[in-house]
Structures are given as C-alpha cells and as structure tokens.
Amino acid sequence: MGEQIRITSVELLDTFRQAVLDFRTSALQGLSGVSHDIRRMQQWIDHEQPMVWRQRLRRARAAVDNARNDLERAKLSRPDDHARMFFEQRRALERAQDHQRKAEERLDLLKRASRKLEHQATLTRAAVQPLVSILDADLELLVARLQALAKHL
C-alpha cells in the first residue's frame, strides 16, 4: 500500500478511466437485463400461463361432460346392448378425463413454480444489490479520482 505508482502518460490514465466507465455501463446493463428477465419470467408464470391452462381446463371439462353425455346417450339408445358395445364412448371419456387431469396438474405445477421463482428472485435480487452498489458508488468514485488525477498531472 505504501508503494508509489509512477504514471508517465496522462492518455493511459484517461484510457483506463474510459475503460472503467465502459465496464460500469456494461455491467449495469447486464444486471438490469437479469432483473428484466426475472420479471418477464414471473409475468409468464404468474399471469400468462395460468390463463392458458385455465382455458384448457375449461375446454377439457367441457369435453369430459360431452363424452359423459355421449356415453349416457349411447346407453339409453341401446339399453339391451352389452357393455363392450360402448367401448368408443368410454375411450373418448377416458381421453377427455386424462386431458382434464393434465391441465389440472399443469395449473398446480405453475403455482409451485411461481412460489419457487419468487423465492429465487428474492435471493437473486439480494445477491445483485451489492454489485449494483459497487458499480454505482465505488466505480463512480474511482472514475472521479482518476479524472482528478489526470487533471492534476
């Protein structure tokens, strides 16, 4: 710490100061991009995808109701037929129920993912904040001192 640096070129000092400024700008843009990406992902998981899957769930429930009604109508129209005769209607009902179950699972998955993402976003913001503080305060102070040093020389 007690060593002295011998600066022979003011231009090199200005070049270094400009490199520090460029780094600061680039780093702040990168951190801002991370924050933007996190907000965008939260928007997608919290708002956009649930709307999509709620709509799919509504359609799946309607398909289950239709398939159930088709099976009942088939049974009523041919009450004497053997149960195996309604294979296609039962198969359609099972497929519709499977689609409904998948949509419900996806909505549940989105709720869990939203909670996890919020937790991770909080941790990320907490980790990024000290970097932003360094970039804002410390590098700004370094640039000011470099500029004062260059004027002094």
Side-chain angles (χ1 to χ4, degrees):
M1 201 67 186
E3 296 178 28
Q4 289 188 353
I5 298 175
R6 188 173 154 167
I7 299 173
T8 58
S9 172
V10 175
E11 291 81 24
L12 282 175
L13 196 58
D14 284 336
T15 302
F16 178 64
R17 184 183 59 78
Q18 187 58 49
V20 169
L21 281 172
D22 292 345
F23 169 76
R24 180 180 174 271
T25 301
S26 177
L28 284 172
Q29 286 174 347
L31 292 174
S32 175
V34 168
S35 296
H36 173 75
D37 289 347
I38 289 171
R39 281 192 307 276
R40 180 68 188 112
M41 189 179 297
Q42 285 176 311
Q43 173 72 20
W44 188 74
I45 287 178
D46 292 343
H47 302 289
E48 294 173 23
Q49 284 300 297
M51 284 190 331
V52 168
W53 285 99
R54 280 192 291 272
Q55 178 65 28
R56 288 185 185 183
L57 180 58
R58 279 192 289 277
R59 279 189 257 139
R61 285 178 176 155
V64 167
D65 290 342
N66 289 339
R68 191 172 284 128
N69 290 338
D70 289 346
L71 177 61
E72 291 303 317
R73 273 195 301 274
K75 285 181 180 179
L76 289 174
S77 69
R78 296 177 276 167
D80 296 334
D81 284 350
H82 193 273
R84 285 184 280 176
M85 298 301 292
F86 308 113
F87 174 77
E88 287 182 30
Q89 289 86 357
R90 286 192 179 151
R91 179 102 164 122
L93 177 58
E94 288 171 3
R95 278 195 307 266
Q97 288 171 333
D98 187 49
H99 287 298
Q100 179 179 343
R101 202 171 17 263
K102 287 179 181 177
E104 289 167 346
E105 288 170 0
R106 185 57 62 107
L107 277 169
D108 187 50
L109 178 67
L110 284 168
K111 287 177 187 174
R112 288 192 315 263
S114 176
R115 287 189 298 269
K116 279 185 178 181
L117 179 60
E118 181 57 38
H119 176 70
Q120 291 300 319
T122 301
L123 293 176
T124 301
R125 282 190 288 272
V128 165
Q129 187 55 43
L131 295 173
V132 171
S133 295
I134 289 170
L135 291 169
D136 275 341
D138 294 348
L139 287 184
E140 189 66 36
L141 180 61
L142 174 62
V143 167
R145 287 184 178 171
L146 288 171
Q147 191 170 16
L149 183 60
K151 285 182 182 178
H152 180 68
L153 295 176

